[in-house]
Amino acid sequence: MKVLVVEDDPDTTEMMRVIMKRAGHVAETAATGEDGLWMATEFAFDVVVLDWDLPQPDGLEVCKELRARERWMPILMLTGHAGIDKRVAGLNAGADDYLTKPFAPQELTARLNALGRRAPRERPTEMSAGDLVFDPAAREVRRGETTIPLRPKELALLELFMRRPDEVLSRAEILDQAWDMAYDGMSNVVDVQIRQLRKKIDEPFGRETIQTVPRVGYRLRSTTAPAGPEPVPAG
């Protein structure tokens, strides 16, 4: 998932970035409500984590404005206030869930995974392509009865493909969705990471789930296919 964290405390921001990276998510950050509102309006995110106690505009106003602009990604509101009135106000403003500081890393991860299954439309608990199954909540991948351990970046790539089956994704688009904006590397990192992913989910099983589309990018086949020659596009 690609998550926007809008939080003015740098220590909290860095902690959440580390938690999300370990869970295989990509985190972008904004330190003010104004910047968070602009990023959430201009770019696509699966979930927004929004601190209530931002300098003006505060998190509540940002949440209201996002919904007024018809930005419907799930919003997880953070606050140091545990009172029921705050929670009700946040939910009434359009937030989907509420987390009180301080929070355990496991709870943040669980709530993000649950919200991610809602965005931008209701998603299944598990996603599949033939006999390849990905459980985004457990961060678990299986091919048939075999569990396949993946590293966080490999999980992020597989999740991106499985959320958009049969779509051709360019290297630039993959970089944008699976790496954060601070990454300044070249697109060959995509080829390297996909090669590693194939070695784990495809090659040992004689499959070709992730297909190269020459001169364009990659796509994930929604049905199981044996490994074979890659088609060359016309023209």
Side-chain angles (χ1 to χ4, degrees), residues 20 34 78 82 121 143 175 190 193 217 235:
M20 292 176 196
E34 185 177 1
L78 298 178
R121 56 189 179 276
R143 173 77 78 177
L175 273 174
V190 173
Q193 289 288 345

Side-chain angles (χ1 to χ4, degrees), residues 1-7 13 16-17 20 25-31 36 39-40 43-45 47-49 175-183:
M1 285 192 303
K2 193 165 187 176
V3 182
L4 174 62
V5 176
V6 189
E7 166 64 65
T13 299
M16 287 193 286
R17 187 197 292 273
M20 292 176 196
H25 304 313
V26 176
E28 300 287 358
T29 63
M39 291 178 69
F43 302 101
F45 293 95
V47 179
V48 173
V49 178
L175 273 174
D176 177 66
Q177 293 297 314
W179 276 263
D180 62 40
M181 291 179 181
Y183 182 77

Side-chain angles (χ1 to χ4, degrees), residues 1 113 116-117 119 121-137 139-142 155-156 158-165 220 222:
M1 285 192 303
N113 289 339
R117 292 196 294 271
R121 56 189 179 276
E122 195 68 25
R123 291 167 173 160
T125 302
E126 292 186 337
M127 294 177 282
S128 63
D131 61 349
L132 181 68
V133 178
F134 174 52
D135 182 339
R139 313 304 291 169
E140 180 181 273
V141 178
R142 304 188 307 276
L155 283 169
L158 182 60
E159 182 173 12
L160 171 62
F161 280 113
M162 295 194 83
R163 291 196 188 282
R164 299 173 63 179
L220 179 137
S222 60

Side-chain angles (χ1 to χ4, degrees), residues 55-123:
Q56 290 296 322
D58 65 15
L60 191 68
E61 292 304 315
V62 172
C63 184
K64 289 178 180 178
E65 183 60 27
L66 285 174
R67 297 315 190 211
R69 296 183 185 186
E70 299 186 346
R71 302 295 288 170
W72 303 116
M73 74 286 280
I75 294 175
L76 174 62
M77 189 77 76
L78 298 178
T79 182
H81 308 285
I84 187 66
D85 290 344
K86 284 277 188 178
R87 284 184 299 214
V88 170
L91 294 172
N92 286 340
D96 296 89
D97 201 358
Y98 193 98
L99 190 57
T100 304
K101 300 176 183 177
F103 49 81
Q106 300 94 320
E107 185 176 10
L108 174 63
T109 300
R111 288 177 184 265
L112 285 175
N113 289 339
L115 289 173
R117 292 196 294 271
R118 302 183 194 175
R121 56 189 179 276
E122 195 68 25
R123 291 167 173 160

